[in-house]
Amino acid sequence: MRRAIYPGSFDPVTNGHMDIIERASKIFDEVVVAVAVNISKSPMFLIEDRLFMLQEASKNLPNVRVDSFDGLLVRYAEEQGASAIVKGLRALSDFEFEFEMALMNRRLDTDIETVFMMTSVEYSYLSSSMIKEVSSFGGSVEGLVPEIVLDYLSQKASSTRRIMQKRRQKKE
Ligand code: PNS
């Protein structure tokens, strides 16, 4: 059983992530998409929501499982009996940091290999932060994220609008 971990914040999952998940699921017997719980960035979505969006988006991929993890990634990979960590590379700018993380992870566990996959060209500029920014200013991100993420983003946008409206009314 060749099991791989695909870790990330997934705040929220994009079609760029989905592209890597789908391609990794063809190479490995099982891919565990692992959502980091304690990330230093303050996420827009709760861990439960990030997990649910990923579960919905990957429900047609039978050898993909979605889970969360806390602490060191290699320790989680060991617990899961995984032999590889999958990472997506979008551009040269991703490389330096990913390279450092891969070397540190290998130092922590020499048996776990980091496998880099190049993102498809159409998603090479895409990031979760860009999605959040465009969507928060009312821009369309259709075709760039799974359908379920569109629903979550529009929910966020309408609750933000409601809050701002209330604040304006209070000031008046
Ligand atoms: O989607 P992101 O935010 O780029 O994902 C980063 C993530 C969660 C993969 C990375 O921060 C991570 O592996 N965190 C777990 C803590 C850890 O093991 N750190 C040492 C790696 S060098």
Side-chain angles (χ1 to χ4, degrees):
M1 167 69 108
R2 283 169 306 152
R3 181 174 292 127
I5 307 290
Y6 178 47
S9 314
F10 304 107
D11 184 44
V13 59
T14 69
N15 283 350
H17 295 129
M18 288 313 299
D19 171 53
I20 298 288
I21 294 172
E22 273 172 44
R23 284 161 48 211
S25 74
K26 290 179 190 151
I27 301 173
F28 294 95
D29 297 314
E30 186 179 50
V31 176
V32 182
V33 183
V35 186
V37 176
N38 269 342
I39 42 171
S40 43
K41 320 165 186 174
S42 48
M44 174 184 257
F45 294 103
L46 296 172
I47 181 75
E48 293 81 3
D49 294 338
R50 287 185 273 147
L51 285 166
F52 183 73
M53 286 186 262
L54 272 161
Q55 269 151 4
E56 275 297 298
S58 60
K59 65 182 175 198
N60 296 328
L61 301 168
N63 62 335
V64 172
R65 183 154 59 83
V66 180
D67 193 13
S68 60
F69 79 102
D70 212 349
L72 275 183
L73 175 60
V74 285
R75 292 291 101 83
Y76 173 75
E78 288 160 1
E79 278 163 31
Q80 293 288 316
S83 54
I85 291 169
V86 170
K87 288 292 191 86
L89 280 185
R90 286 166 302 188
L92 213 56
S93 51
D94 277 346
F95 182 76
E96 201 174 339
F97 185 53
E98 289 296 346
F99 184 61
E100 288 169 5
M101 281 207 283
L103 291 183
M104 178 54 84
N105 284 335
R106 192 195 291 161
R107 197 191 138 87
L108 293 167
D109 189 331
T110 45
D111 292 332
I112 297 175
E113 200 64 53
T114 300
V115 177
F116 288 110
M117 294 181 76
M118 308 301 291
T119 13
S120 301
V121 176
E122 65 261 47
Y123 304 124
S124 57
Y125 63 97
L126 213 59
S127 67
S128 298
S129 347
M130 194 184 270
I131 292 294
K132 284 182 281 191
E133 178 157 333
V134 171
S135 162
S136 69
F137 289 119
S140 167
V141 291
E142 242 181 281
L144 301 178
V145 292
E147 288 287 318
I148 181 77
V149 178
L150 288 178
D151 296 344
Y152 268 83
L153 286 170
S154 72
Q155 234 176 56
K156 276 268 176 225
S158 54
S159 65
T160 309
R161 267 196 304 274
R162 265 201 310 275
I163 292 167
M164 285 171 70
Q165 210 171 7
K166 267 191 187 164
R167 282 200 179 165
R168 267 199 301 271
Q169 282 166 353
K170 265 189 185 169
K171 274 187 186 168
E172 282 165 11

